[in-house]
Amino acid sequence: MRQITVLEAVHQARRTIGDIDARMLLQHVLDMSHAVLIAHSDRELLPEQAQYFVQLAQRRAHGEPVAYLTGKREFYSLDFKVSPAVLIPRPETELLVDLALERSPVDCLLKILDLGTGSGAIALTIAKYRPLASVTAVDASNDAVAIAKSNAKQLGVSNVNIIRSNWFDRLVGERFDLIVSNPPYVAGADPHLAQGDLRFEPSMALTDSGDGLSCLRTIIAAAPAHLETGGTLLVEHGYDQAQTCRLLLEEAGFGAIICRPDLAGIARISGGICMI
Ligand code: GLN
């Protein structure tokens, strides 16, 4: 019996999951790049490949994120392994990395900390592009620490120390030149938690189950004790949290406060310089 071709598989699946997701899942099943997939559109799938693809397409149709089905997501042009134990890296978080790199001269021996590292996307990208920096990445989840460590190995990043810690708990007495974080900032009552990819992501990485600000409060208040004078804190936050973050930063003794919009024009990253 004739097997289904690449093109036919995409055509069948795109009715339920759309063209882009169908292609991404098929690339994963066949272990092919986008360009190779297009060049081999008339190639026939093996029966087990066709079966695996149909299974993945069905799971996608039920809402599971593509990144969890393929086990990976690109961030800042690097490939990160992901699982439902970690948040899927988002394009808007690349802005946090841009700002961190801008503030980290390539020839300086900086000490950098990433709080709530998840897959390690932020910490490992900074470490990769600033090989002289010494990066510490912490996460409260053992599973996240394991994934971040595996990503460090896969990306060949050795200037990073990944440890399990609830925010600064295991960092007593340590100071850094730069602290970055994309903490859980979605309010517990935000309806987005029950929609799209967020339904499948670890709740502890998304929300404090309260007003969405408790982790930002903790991090901003505790950061000066772990920053050198003149050091920088940069945090990602929700669409309506920029004003509160500015107040929290001012209260904690930060100056030269910045707030940057993401590509959608939403105030997304705030930060400042530790004056004390
Ligand atoms: N940016 C994510 C979202 O709203 C939330 C990530 C986070 O809480 N840090 O989908």
Side-chain angles (χ1 to χ4, degrees):
M1 195 180 83
R2 196 182 74 80
Q3 291 298 322
I4 186 172
T5 66
V6 163
L7 197 63
E8 287 163 349
V10 171
H11 273 276
Q12 280 180 15
R14 80 169 169 211
R15 283 199 295 272
T16 46
I17 62 173
D19 195 60
I20 293 172
D21 289 359
R23 283 177 195 279
M24 282 172 71
L25 294 179
L26 201 51
Q27 279 170 232
H28 168 67
V29 168
L30 301 178
D31 194 20
M32 283 180 175
S33 69
H34 184 55
V36 174
L37 190 80
I38 290 172
H40 291 83
S41 59
D42 56 354
R43 179 178 141 169
E44 290 183 359
L45 274 62
L46 298 171
E48 58 271 27
Q49 290 171 331
Q51 199 185 359
Y52 182 35
F53 176 65
V54 168
Q55 276 169 11
L56 291 183
Q58 276 169 358
R59 288 169 64 186
R60 178 67 194 126
H62 286 104
E64 278 186 68
V66 172
Y68 290 156
L69 295 172
T70 62
K72 57 181 183 286
R73 173 53 49 94
E74 189 182 296
F75 178 82
Y76 224 91
S77 304
L78 299 172
D79 270 332
F80 285 88
K81 171 176 152 182
V82 295
S83 85
V86 296
L87 202 73
I88 300 165
R90 310 271 204 279
E92 57 265 33
T93 306
E94 293 182 340
L95 174 65
L96 177 58
V97 173
D98 283 339
L99 294 172
L101 292 176
E102 266 173 33
R103 282 160 179 73
S104 308
V106 74
D107 52 353
C108 286
L109 304 173
L110 297 173
K111 280 187 75 184
I112 299 173
L113 170 65
D114 176 25
L115 294 163
T117 200
S119 64
I122 300 168
L124 298 175
T125 305
I126 295 172
K128 181 98 183 162
Y129 288 95
R130 292 294 180 269
L132 293 184
S134 153
V135 178
T136 300
V138 305
D139 203 287
S141 148
N142 272 324
D143 290 342
V145 166
I147 289 177
K149 282 185 175 171
S150 135
N151 277 322
K153 201 170 166 196
Q154 194 179 300
L155 294 167
V157 172
S158 55
N159 53 327
V160 65
N161 184 22
I162 302 163
I163 52 178
R164 200 182 78 79
S165 172
N166 191 16
W167 306 133
F168 296 102
D169 282 3
R170 304 272 173 96
L171 303 169
V172 177
E174 286 205 53
R175 283 187 188 266
F176 300 86
D177 301 295
L178 170 65
I179 299 176
V180 292
S181 184
N182 173 20
Y185 55 68
V186 180
D190 189 323
H192 290 105
L193 289 172
Q195 295 167 14
D197 287 2
L198 277 68
R199 290 169 296 167
F200 295 86
E201 294 184 289
S203 152
M204 74 177 282
L206 287 168
T207 179
D208 58 4
S209 304
D211 66 357
L213 287 159
S214 61
C215 300
L216 286 161
R217 279 191 204 99
T218 302
I219 289 168
I220 294 172
H226 294 275
L227 276 170
E228 303 289 354
T229 303
T232 299
L233 171 67
L234 294 168
V235 291
E236 180 174 324
H237 53 70
Y239 67 97
D240 56 354
Q241 295 169 335
Q243 262 316 104
T244 309
C245 281
R246 174 175 289 273
L247 291 175
L248 292 170
L249 286 160
E250 282 168 0
E251 270 171 33
F254 286 90
I257 292 168
I258 60 147
C259 175
R260 292 285 149 81
D262 61 21
L263 291 173
I266 297 164
R268 183 61 67 189
I269 311 289
S270 291
I273 293 179
C274 181
M275 301 297 193
I276 50 177

